[in-house]
Tab-separated table of all heavy atoms in Angstrom:
chain	number	residue	atom	x	y	z
A	1	ALA	N	0.841	-1.205	0.010
A	1	ALA	CA	0.022	0.031	0.040
A	1	ALA	C	0.889	1.301	-0.023
A	1	ALA	O	0.503	2.206	-0.642
A	1	ALA	CB	-0.893	-0.012	1.235
A	2	GLN	N	1.942	1.279	0.727
A	2	GLN	CA	2.874	2.340	0.729
A	2	GLN	C	3.490	2.623	-0.605
A	2	GLN	O	3.544	3.835	-1.035
A	2	GLN	CB	4.013	2.120	1.729
A	2	GLN	CG	3.680	2.496	3.224
A	2	GLN	CD	3.839	3.997	3.478
A	2	GLN	OE1	3.020	4.832	3.029
A	2	GLN	NE2	4.924	4.384	4.196
A	3	PHE	N	3.834	1.614	-1.356
A	3	PHE	CA	4.435	1.812	-2.629
A	3	PHE	C	3.332	2.415	-3.597
A	3	PHE	O	3.662	3.223	-4.431
A	3	PHE	CB	4.929	0.398	-3.178
A	3	PHE	CG	6.260	-0.051	-2.702
A	3	PHE	CD1	6.339	-0.958	-1.683
A	3	PHE	CD2	7.380	0.562	-3.189
A	3	PHE	CE1	7.589	-1.343	-1.214
A	3	PHE	CE2	8.693	0.259	-2.688
A	3	PHE	CZ	8.730	-0.680	-1.658
A	4	ARG	N	2.097	1.862	-3.485
A	4	ARG	CA	1.067	2.456	-4.341
A	4	ARG	C	0.765	3.924	-4.022
A	4	ARG	O	0.571	4.751	-4.957
A	4	ARG	CB	-0.161	1.615	-4.203
A	4	ARG	CG	-1.385	2.119	-5.044
A	4	ARG	CD	-1.110	2.155	-6.546
A	4	ARG	NE	-2.209	2.709	-7.282
A	4	ARG	CZ	-3.115	1.936	-7.854
A	4	ARG	NH1	-3.060	0.661	-7.786
A	4	ARG	NH2	-4.047	2.498	-8.598
A	5	LYS	N	0.799	4.254	-2.759
A	5	LYS	CA	0.624	5.622	-2.366
A	5	LYS	C	1.681	6.574	-3.016
A	5	LYS	O	1.344	7.652	-3.645
A	5	LYS	CB	0.639	5.831	-0.833
A	5	LYS	CG	0.463	7.264	-0.428
A	5	LYS	CD	0.410	7.246	1.115
A	5	LYS	CE	0.176	8.716	1.632
A	5	LYS	NZ	0.288	8.817	3.193
A	6	ILE	N	2.926	6.136	-2.988
A	6	ILE	CA	3.950	6.933	-3.539
A	6	ILE	C	3.871	6.971	-5.091
A	6	ILE	O	4.111	7.944	-5.721
A	6	ILE	CB	5.384	6.419	-3.114
A	6	ILE	CG1	5.557	6.608	-1.608
A	6	ILE	CG2	6.505	7.036	-3.902
A	6	ILE	CD1	6.826	5.885	-1.059
A	7	ALA	N	3.519	5.851	-5.634
A	7	ALA	CA	3.382	5.714	-7.147
A	7	ALA	C	2.270	6.738	-7.630
A	7	ALA	O	2.480	7.385	-8.627
A	7	ALA	CB	2.985	4.270	-7.577
A	8	ASP	N	1.171	6.792	-6.886
A	8	ASP	CA	0.085	7.685	-7.251
A	8	ASP	C	0.520	9.136	-7.158
A	8	ASP	O	0.059	9.994	-7.967
A	8	ASP	CB	-1.095	7.439	-6.365
A	8	ASP	CG	-1.914	6.155	-6.622
A	8	ASP	OD1	-1.568	5.601	-7.713
A	8	ASP	OD2	-2.720	5.706	-5.823
A	9	GLU	N	1.381	9.430	-6.260
A	9	GLU	CA	1.877	10.769	-6.135
A	9	GLU	C	2.727	11.324	-7.316
A	9	GLU	O	2.785	12.488	-7.632
A	9	GLU	CB	2.785	10.942	-4.823
A	9	GLU	CG	2.014	10.737	-3.505
A	9	GLU	CD	2.950	10.680	-2.322
A	9	GLU	OE1	4.185	10.783	-2.485
A	9	GLU	OE2	2.463	10.402	-1.178
A	10	VAL	N	3.404	10.391	-8.002
A	10	VAL	CA	4.228	10.701	-9.111
A	10	VAL	C	3.754	10.209	-10.409
A	10	VAL	O	4.519	10.305	-11.414
A	10	VAL	CB	5.745	10.220	-8.798
A	10	VAL	CG1	6.267	10.872	-7.607
A	10	VAL	CG2	5.817	8.729	-8.723
A	11	GLY	N	2.613	9.623	-10.420
A	11	GLY	CA	2.016	9.003	-11.717
A	11	GLY	C	2.719	7.822	-12.199
A	11	GLY	O	2.800	7.617	-13.486
A	12	ALA	N	3.227	6.920	-11.369
A	12	ALA	CA	3.889	5.699	-11.748
A	12	ALA	C	2.982	4.476	-11.548
A	12	ALA	O	1.992	4.550	-10.851
A	12	ALA	CB	5.154	5.526	-10.914
A	13	LEU	N	3.388	3.428	-12.176
A	13	LEU	CA	2.747	2.079	-12.085
A	13	LEU	C	3.580	1.351	-11.003
A	13	LEU	O	4.760	1.500	-10.888
A	13	LEU	CB	2.687	1.374	-13.435
A	13	LEU	CG	1.990	1.990	-14.510
A	13	LEU	CD1	2.177	1.124	-15.814
A	13	LEU	CD2	0.499	2.042	-14.198
A	14	VAL	N	2.793	0.497	-10.303
A	14	VAL	CA	3.500	-0.384	-9.254
A	14	VAL	C	3.589	-1.784	-9.881
A	14	VAL	O	2.552	-2.398	-10.322
A	14	VAL	CB	2.718	-0.471	-7.973
A	14	VAL	CG1	3.375	-1.493	-7.028
A	14	VAL	CG2	2.706	0.916	-7.290
A	15	MET	N	4.860	-2.352	-9.817
A	15	MET	CA	5.034	-3.713	-10.276
A	15	MET	C	5.535	-4.487	-9.072
A	15	MET	O	6.498	-4.010	-8.391
A	15	MET	CB	6.024	-3.796	-11.385
A	15	MET	CG	6.504	-5.203	-11.787
A	15	MET	SD	7.676	-5.234	-13.191
A	15	MET	CE	8.439	-6.820	-12.913
A	16	ALA	N	4.938	-5.508	-8.695
A	16	ALA	CA	5.334	-6.346	-7.552
A	16	ALA	C	5.821	-7.727	-8.044
A	16	ALA	O	5.205	-8.476	-8.621
A	16	ALA	CB	4.117	-6.528	-6.559
A	17	ASP	N	7.151	-7.994	-7.780
A	17	ASP	CA	7.710	-9.286	-8.125
A	17	ASP	C	7.707	-10.117	-6.780
A	17	ASP	O	8.489	-9.942	-5.852
A	17	ASP	CB	9.163	-9.111	-8.574
A	17	ASP	CG	9.822	-10.386	-8.858
A	17	ASP	OD1	9.295	-11.514	-8.476
A	17	ASP	OD2	10.930	-10.372	-9.455
A	18	ILE	N	6.685	-11.052	-6.702
A	18	ILE	CA	6.552	-11.767	-5.465
A	18	ILE	C	7.062	-13.194	-5.584
A	18	ILE	O	6.527	-14.137	-5.004
A	18	ILE	CB	5.045	-11.836	-5.025
A	18	ILE	CG1	4.074	-12.456	-6.044
A	18	ILE	CG2	4.533	-10.395	-4.741
A	18	ILE	CD1	2.742	-12.736	-5.659
A	19	ALA	N	8.148	-13.308	-6.461
A	19	ALA	CA	8.618	-14.707	-6.730
A	19	ALA	C	8.880	-15.444	-5.432
A	19	ALA	O	8.606	-16.700	-5.359
A	19	ALA	CB	9.894	-14.575	-7.614
A	20	HIS	N	9.471	-14.830	-4.451
A	20	HIS	CA	9.847	-15.558	-3.212
A	20	HIS	C	8.611	-15.806	-2.299
A	20	HIS	O	8.581	-16.892	-1.610
A	20	HIS	CB	10.941	-14.797	-2.490
A	20	HIS	CG	12.324	-15.278	-2.833
A	20	HIS	ND1	12.919	-16.294	-2.155
A	20	HIS	CD2	13.168	-14.873	-3.863
A	20	HIS	CE1	14.051	-16.577	-2.718
A	20	HIS	NE2	14.230	-15.657	-3.723
A	21	ILE	N	7.725	-14.942	-2.266
A	21	ILE	CA	6.633	-15.004	-1.209
A	21	ILE	C	5.302	-15.458	-1.836
A	21	ILE	O	4.297	-15.470	-1.160
A	21	ILE	CB	6.489	-13.693	-0.511
A	21	ILE	CG1	6.181	-12.609	-1.545
A	21	ILE	CG2	7.700	-13.349	0.289
A	21	ILE	CD1	5.797	-11.185	-0.825
A	22	ALA	N	5.273	-15.853	-3.141
A	22	ALA	CA	3.980	-16.184	-3.837
A	22	ALA	C	3.181	-17.225	-3.067
A	22	ALA	O	1.926	-17.044	-2.951
A	22	ALA	CB	4.239	-16.595	-5.204
A	23	GLY	N	3.766	-18.278	-2.559
A	23	GLY	CA	3.088	-19.245	-1.829
A	23	GLY	C	2.512	-18.725	-0.563
A	23	GLY	O	1.384	-19.120	-0.124
A	24	LEU	N	3.257	-17.814	0.131
A	24	LEU	CA	2.737	-17.207	1.308
A	24	LEU	C	1.613	-16.262	1.067
A	24	LEU	O	0.653	-16.166	1.792
A	24	LEU	CB	3.863	-16.447	2.072
A	24	LEU	CG	5.144	-17.211	2.349
A	24	LEU	CD1	6.136	-16.378	3.128
A	24	LEU	CD2	4.869	-18.529	3.064
A	25	VAL	N	1.672	-15.534	-0.096
A	25	VAL	CA	0.519	-14.652	-0.559
A	25	VAL	C	-0.585	-15.489	-0.783
A	25	VAL	O	-1.791	-15.238	-0.373
A	25	VAL	CB	1.007	-13.795	-1.716
A	25	VAL	CG1	-0.203	-13.112	-2.333
A	25	VAL	CG2	2.097	-12.777	-1.348
A	26	ALA	N	-0.467	-16.582	-1.646
A	26	ALA	CA	-1.551	-17.404	-2.027
A	26	ALA	C	-2.284	-18.024	-0.831
A	26	ALA	O	-3.519	-18.202	-0.805
A	26	ALA	CB	-1.107	-18.495	-2.931
A	27	ALA	N	-1.540	-18.303	0.176
A	27	ALA	CA	-2.146	-18.905	1.428
A	27	ALA	C	-2.600	-17.964	2.487
A	27	ALA	O	-3.183	-18.260	3.482
A	27	ALA	CB	-1.039	-19.819	2.063
A	28	GLY	N	-2.495	-16.592	2.144
A	28	GLY	CA	-2.932	-15.583	3.068
A	28	GLY	C	-2.000	-15.270	4.187
A	28	GLY	O	-2.404	-14.608	5.241
């Protein structure tokens, strides 16, 4: 969320590379 807030301030897109934590994200 912090990254998105900063991105919105400068008109950027957020890209998240979750290669390491994908299984943890998928499991909540």
Side-chain angles (χ1 to χ4, degrees):
Q2 274 277 75
F3 281 102
R4 178 58 182 264
K5 183 180 179 181
I6 294 169
D8 287 346
E9 291 171 5
V10 298
L13 297 173
V14 174
M15 173 178 160
D17 179 349
I18 61 168
H20 266 272
I21 57 172
L24 307 183
V25 169

